[in-house]
Amino acid sequence: MEAAVKWKIKEKSTATIALAGNPNSGKTTLFNAITGAHQHVGNYPGITVDRKEGTINLKDTTVKLIDLPGTYSLSAYSQEELVARNFLTDEKPDIVVDIVDATMLERHLYLAIQFIELGIPVVLALNMMDDVRKQNLTIDTEKLSQLLKCPVVETIARSGKGKKELLDTAVSHVKDENREPTPLEISYGTELDLILDDMTKIIQEYHFMTDRYPARWIALKYLENDSQIIRLGRLNNKISKKLEGIVDRTKQHCMKTMKVPPEAIIADYRYGLINSILKQNIVVQEKTRQERIDFTAKLDRVLVHRFGGPILMVAVLYAMFQITFSLGEVPMGWLESIFGWIASTATALIPEGMLQSLAVSGIIDGVGGVMGFVPLIAIMFLMISFLEDSGYMARVAYMLDRVLRIFGLHGYSAMPFIISGGIAGGCAVPGVMATRTLRSPKEKLATLLTAPFMPCGAKLPVFLLLIAAFFTEYKAQMMFSITLFAWVMALLVAKLVRTTVIKGESTPFIMELPPYRLPTLRGVFIHTWERTWQYIKKAGTVILAVSILLWAAMTFPGLPEEQTNQFEIERQAAFTTIQSPAEREQILTDINNLEGQTALRHSLAGKVGTLLEPFSQLAGFDWRTNIALVGGFAAKEVIVSTFGTAYSLGDVDPEDAGTLSSRIAADPTWNKFTALAMIVFVLLYAPCVVTVVTMAKESSWRWAIFATAFNTTLGFGMAVAIYQVGTKLFT
Amino acid sequence: MQKSLRQIASGEKAIVTSVTAEGDVGRRLREMGLSPGTEIKILGRAPLKDPVSIRLKNYTLTLRNNEADFILVNKVEA
């Protein structure tokens, strides 16, 4: 009998668990440890804005885990907080697992209290228990659990310790039918409590938004002057007016008697409650001072020093260039020779004709030109990830805030700039998305309009190509100057738009400086790999497609028959009349090159490039550069690959021609100033299509189109100035 | 004597007496732990003397002088 029961297949129950917590509480690390999902962990407040989900199959339960954005509270201060709150009230997860940094219980419990008030069952995860021990603190977990009336589990997210207990506790708490009735009603003092009761009565009587929120919670939000709730409430204007009237009277009374608004009193009572709990010997400091805090404080004494800090910051950025280029050079050389070998093998294997041209000139040269930069980009991403996860990025925001404010920006603008390529090698797409941490729409707009000026990973190959061709002895210095120039331009343009089209006051800067933490190797590598893989994927898909398209545009229509015949006749003539083999070879190559060039010029792309030439000549760009730059609007990587295709099409013997940079250096239409003009133009002109779409999503199409037109005009103006002044003065 | 946070020098300690800001800024300041009775220590100021970084409740917070003006404190004499 019993065996039969055992064999009966039980239907699995499901549980939805929301992971919530303050920024830097180790929430994302814990999420990764539980789900194994690959996702970025940052030490900068609010880096996870997107909703991340994972599914875990436990023995008899399927758990859906949602990683909510890091929030300090459930007020609607930032977009992240709004996202988190709306998820909790609208999708009503079965339980919230609130991850708190156990070394900062007092502040982190402020959020926990609000979950409990909202009436969602809570399990508290006391994270960073390793730090607690290092700081010689002891925490009475059991007593805390009793006082908060919710389960408390100790965890160490970095090592994954406690994650199983946490999940088990959460799931059994979901199923526990005897758990404490919620929501918790906190007392805010006799006066406010009475007013809250009155308001709650009105709310219940009219079922005012009670389908979404608990009644007393709505009353509380009205008293706290929560703009989102009041806006929603005004959809039912009559009741909202009634409540607002009560709030107004209460506020006047509070201001008169206590000189503070009701929201301040509410916050004081919340902290009062937390302190009354913690005072019952929950946290005990044993022995003397803390180790890690001292470590962070000591490091900060140097890293954010009034004078030393900025100097070190520049030194760190400069070191990143040096490391990247000296370390990246070796594998880059390997990849270059591998692609060279593939190209010559393909030339040998595939019979001459259209197919060979497509494979060698279109695909291998095109994609190879981009793939060659993978090691460099991987190293760059590795270092950016390290700086992000270690906590240094928040210091950069702190040190740069005052400077950025001069230009109408905000300390939080530093991060989007850096991700976009402010330390060369980022990408404007996540950079533009990172502008979400900016609360003021105006500062956000100014940041997202100027972030695409940064030298992203896709622009780097263009710079490196031109530097190798014309400034080869100053590699790191040139890259550093390009980056500095990008910052200067971004700041100046930001100032320009903030004093003209998007005028407005600056918004407050209130930011936590997280303790320094050695990033986990796994975290940094996962992050680096994700970004690098995205680059490789782009090379294999978008860039491959654009390469083939551009190859076709550069090949068709072919030369008319009589012209091809004309070249053939010339070749025959040279073959029969010239005796010296060396001389004959030379003349034959010249004829072949001329044919290639003529054919390229005759093609569709050639015609477009030639059409633009009279205009682009002002900046020294010839028709081949025009093809590359137009292609670059699809993706900046395409610029180099198009050069590769254009130059190999113009040259019949790809094996002898040496690398692309030496081909360009040898081309008489190029000089140092053409190269500089090109660098500046590529740096500043229209963002790639993907960035433009992202900009439109984060702001509006109007601004995305504005940026496209404005940036191109600005870039071209600067390029013309550099080329004209340079060639007039120095040649 | 009551002063604003802006007037406290680096390295000095103070006790928060009140946060006078209203609305979003006031709410955020309180959420970050600046409630009356909290002891704070000025850790230092950024290169251009703004923002300021302070230590409270076992963590480090940074804010601009404009925000610091809203925070009234009593200096703790060493």
Side-chain angles (χ1 to χ4, degrees):
Chain A
M1 283 290 277
E2 260 187 44
V5 174
K6 254 186 205 162
W7 280 107
K8 200 173 133 192
I9 296 165
K10 251 198 296 180
E11 201 171 308
K12 263 193 169 184
S13 57
T14 55
T16 309
I17 301 179
L19 277 189
N22 278 203
N24 309 307
S25 60
K27 188 171 58 63
T28 305
T29 312
L30 194 67
F31 179 76
N32 284 343
I34 293 175
T35 59
H38 297 167
Q39 187 210 355
H40 176 49
V41 202
N43 243 336
Y44 193 90
I47 204 149
T48 34
V49 183
D50 295 326
R51 184 169 143 178
K52 301 268 158 67
E53 290 192 20
T55 310
I56 312 109
N57 279 304
L58 294 180
K59 211 167 57 195
D60 48 5
T61 318
T62 307
V63 175
K64 198 169 104 181
L65 198 66
I66 289 110
D67 185 21
L68 292 180
T71 56
Y72 289 106
S73 92
L74 285 184
S75 59
Y77 182 81
S78 67
Q79 236 178 326
E80 289 89 15
E81 285 168 2
L82 207 57
V83 166
R85 190 167 87 182
N86 286 344
F87 176 83
L88 296 177
T89 53
D90 298 346
E91 302 191 31
K92 297 198 174 19
D94 294 309
I95 199 161
V96 176
V97 171
D98 180 17
I99 294 122
V100 299
D101 182 338
T103 63
M104 310 171 191
L105 261 188
E106 189 182 349
R107 207 200 69 216
H108 282 237
L109 284 181
Y110 193 80
L111 180 65
I113 295 282
Q114 295 181 59
F115 288 132
I116 298 170
E117 263 189 308
L118 191 55
I120 298 175
V122 175
V123 170
L124 205 66
L126 287 187
N127 196 24
M128 315 261 177
M129 286 307 289
D130 48 345
D131 284 0
V132 167
R133 267 156 229 146
K134 271 190 205 136
Q135 294 185 24
N136 292 319
L137 296 167
T138 44
I139 295 177
D140 190 339
T141 308
E142 217 165 289
K143 200 161 174 191
L144 183 65
S145 170
Q146 280 166 19
L147 292 171
L148 283 173
K149 300 191 178 79
C150 75
V152 180
V153 181
E154 297 184 0
T155 59
I156 302 171
R158 285 162 66 88
S159 64
K161 216 175 151 203
K163 65 176 180 184
K164 206 186 163 307
E165 294 90 311
L166 182 65
L167 263 188
D168 290 344
T169 311
V171 170
S172 60
H173 194 59
V174 169
K175 293 177 181 164
D176 182 8
E177 272 148 31
N178 302 322
R179 65 166 181 245
E180 286 292 322
T182 48
L184 168 80
E185 290 189 4
I186 298 172
S187 165
Y188 292 103
T190 330
E191 248 173 286
L192 284 189
D193 280 349
L194 286 174
I195 289 160
L196 277 171
D197 286 346
D198 285 348
M199 291 171 75
T200 309
K201 239 178 252 155
I202 297 171
I203 290 165
Q204 275 167 340
E205 191 184 334
Y206 294 97
H207 302 289
F208 183 66
M209 297 196 282
T210 44
D211 49 333
R212 277 182 87 179
Y213 314 109
R216 190 170 188 265
W217 191 83
I218 299 171
L220 197 56
K221 287 294 142 185
Y222 261 86
L223 264 188
E224 281 187 288
N225 198 11
D226 186 292
S227 52
Q228 193 227 2
I229 295 295
I230 293 176
R231 195 161 356 103
L232 279 177
R234 282 189 184 152
L235 295 176
N236 188 341
N237 215 3
K238 216 179 101 208
I239 303 157
S240 189
K241 279 269 131 49
K242 211 166 173 178
L243 295 173
E244 282 171 58
I246 300 177
V247 172
D248 277 345
R249 281 195 296 279
T250 314
K251 189 177 168 187
Q252 276 167 22
H253 178 73
C254 290
M255 292 302 274
K256 211 157 67 190
T257 54
M258 282 172 278
K259 294 197 176 69
V260 282
E263 60 209 68
I265 302 170
I266 292 170
D268 291 350
Y269 270 94
R270 284 200 187 119
Y271 274 114
L273 176 70
I274 293 168
N275 283 320
S276 71
I277 291 172
L278 292 181
K279 260 184 203 140
Q280 302 182 39
N281 286 327
I282 299 291
V283 185
V284 180
Q285 171 86 57
E286 287 172 1
K287 287 183 268 178
T288 44
R289 287 297 300 165
Q290 317 101 327
E291 193 180 303
R292 183 173 291 263
I293 292 310
D294 282 342
F295 170 71
T296 292
K298 261 185 214 153
L299 216 54
D300 268 343
R301 235 169 272 157
V302 183
L303 290 180
V304 295
H305 184 267
R306 286 272 301 280
F307 306 107
I311 295 170
L312 271 167
M313 183 167 70
V314 175
V316 165
L317 303 193
Y318 188 70
M320 285 184 59
F321 287 102
Q322 288 290 1
I323 294 169
T324 309
F325 292 116
S326 48
L327 225 74
E329 218 164 322
V330 184
M332 255 175 79
W334 295 340
L335 278 175
E336 219 167 85
S337 32
I338 289 172
F339 275 98
W341 176 81
I342 295 174
S344 54
T345 314
T347 314
L349 287 178
I350 308 169
E352 214 177 305
M354 269 313 165
L355 191 65
Q356 190 199 63
S357 169
L358 170 65
V360 177
S361 298
I363 298 173
I364 299 172
D365 281 5
V367 174
V370 177
M371 296 293 271
F373 293 97
V374 165
L376 213 73
I377 277 146
I379 296 170
M380 275 290 185
F381 280 151
L382 192 79
M383 280 187 284
I384 292 178
S385 307
F386 185 86
L387 290 187
E388 272 177 342
D389 293 357
S390 65
Y392 186 66
M393 284 296 193
R395 270 77 185 175
V396 173
Y398 165 66
M399 285 190 283
L400 287 178
D401 176 67
R402 189 67 191 86
V403 180
L404 289 169
R405 201 176 358 144
I406 296 171
F407 299 96
L409 298 167
H410 190 272
Y412 284 2
S413 305
M415 193 66 166
F417 280 155
I418 288 170
I419 296 175
S420 298
I423 320 183
C427 175
V429 174
V432 165
M433 293 197 314
T435 58
R436 288 177 197 169
T437 44
L438 284 146
R439 283 190 60 239
S440 143
K442 286 176 177 164
E443 283 163 348
K444 177 182 168 175
L445 200 53
T447 310
L448 81 83
L449 287 178
T450 49
F453 285 146
M454 295 297 163
C456 71
K459 291 178 193 169
L460 277 191
V462 185
F463 302 148
L464 293 174
L465 178 77
L466 295 172
I467 290 169
F470 297 98
F471 312 98
T472 186
E473 61 274 43
Y474 303 112
K475 227 178 192 174
Q477 289 91 329
M478 273 299 286
M479 279 311 302
F480 193 64
S481 318
I482 290 171
T483 309
L484 275 185
F485 179 74
W487 277 90
V488 169
M489 287 310 294
L491 292 180
L492 289 178
V493 171
K495 182 72 187 171
L496 179 74
V497 292
R498 287 285 277 138
T499 44
T500 54
V501 276
I502 28 179
K503 259 189 259 184
E505 284 295 297
S506 69
T507 45
F509 176 85
I510 304 167
M511 185 188 72
E512 178 185 1
L513 286 188
Y516 288 107
R517 293 205 171 92
L518 193 66
T520 56
L521 216 58
R522 186 170 148 230
V524 170
F525 275 114
I526 286 176
H527 189 193
T528 306
W529 170 245
E530 268 176 358
R531 287 174 168 180
T532 311
W533 177 237
Q534 252 173 357
Y535 182 86
I536 297 173
K537 250 194 344 212
K538 208 159 123 196
T541 53
V542 178
I543 293 163
L544 179 66
V546 177
S547 283
I548 292 173
L549 266 177
L550 282 170
W551 170 84
M554 283 191 264
T555 310
F556 302 107
L559 280 180
E561 210 164 318
E562 59 262 42
Q563 254 182 301
T564 324
N565 290 341
Q566 188 59 41
F567 280 111
E568 196 51 45
I569 291 165
E570 276 177 43
R571 260 193 294 264
Q572 289 299 332
F575 210 72
T576 46
T577 51
I578 297 163
Q579 295 304 315
S580 140
E583 207 180 318
R584 196 169 56 199
E585 190 68 14
Q586 181 57 45
I587 291 193
L588 280 176
T589 314
D590 285 350
I591 294 170
N592 287 347
N593 273 347
L594 192 65
E595 185 183 3
Q597 291 289 337
T598 318
L600 183 57
R601 219 176 232 282
H602 188 76
S603 70
L604 181 66
K607 278 178 190 143
V608 172
T610 315
L611 201 70
L612 291 171
E613 200 170 41
F615 195 51
S616 69
Q617 271 304 347
L618 289 172
F621 303 156
D622 75 348
W623 54 282
R624 277 183 300 191
T625 311
N626 291 346
I627 302 174
L629 291 174
V630 171
F633 181 57
K636 294 283 151 72
E637 289 92 335
V638 170
I639 298 172
V640 168
S641 61
T642 309
F643 265 134
T645 313
Y647 278 82
S648 82
L649 281 174
D651 195 320
V652 170
D653 203 359
E655 297 114 285
D656 294 349
T659 58
L660 186 54
S661 66
S662 52
R663 281 190 223 171
I664 288 177
D667 193 302
T669 60
W670 280 88
N671 62 40
K672 280 193 172 152
F673 299 106
T674 332
L676 273 183
M678 170 96 170
I679 288 173
V680 168
F681 185 72
V682 169
L683 191 68
L684 303 179
Y685 89 120
C688 69
V689 171
V690 189
T691 307
V692 172
V693 172
T694 316
M695 287 167 86
K697 254 192 262 167
E698 293 294 330
S699 56
S700 69
W701 274 105
R702 209 167 62 100
W703 285 111
I705 291 164
F706 168 81
T708 309
F710 178 81
N711 294 6
T712 310
T713 315
L714 178 73
F716 190 67
M718 300 276 297
V720 170
I722 288 169
Y723 180 73
Q724 294 296 341
V725 172
T727 45
K728 294 252 157 64
L729 287 185
F730 300 102
T731 51
Chain B
M1 197 194 78
Q2 210 171 47
K3 285 180 169 179
S4 95
L5 180 61
R6 191 201 278 258
Q7 295 160 299
I8 309 295
S10 293
E12 289 182 338
K13 286 181 181 176
I15 307 268
V16 177
T17 52
S18 73
V19 177
T20 57
E22 284 182 46
D24 281 348
V25 182
R27 197 175 307 133
R28 170 56 45 126
L29 289 172
R30 285 183 274 271
E31 282 163 12
M32 298 307 280
L34 287 159
S35 51
T38 305
E39 189 186 88
I40 59 172
K41 185 187 172 192
I42 312 288
L43 292 180
R45 289 183 162 88
L48 296 171
K49 294 194 175 177
D50 192 16
V52 55
S53 77
I54 60 175
R55 184 120 196 121
L56 70 153
K57 299 191 195 312
N58 205 17
Y59 89 105
T60 307
L61 179 71
T62 60
L63 40 93
R64 287 187 190 153
N65 282 333
N66 286 345
E67 280 85 67
D69 285 339
F70 293 124
I71 299 159
L72 300 183
V73 296
N74 273 329
K75 213 176 108 179
V76 176
E77 300 301 334

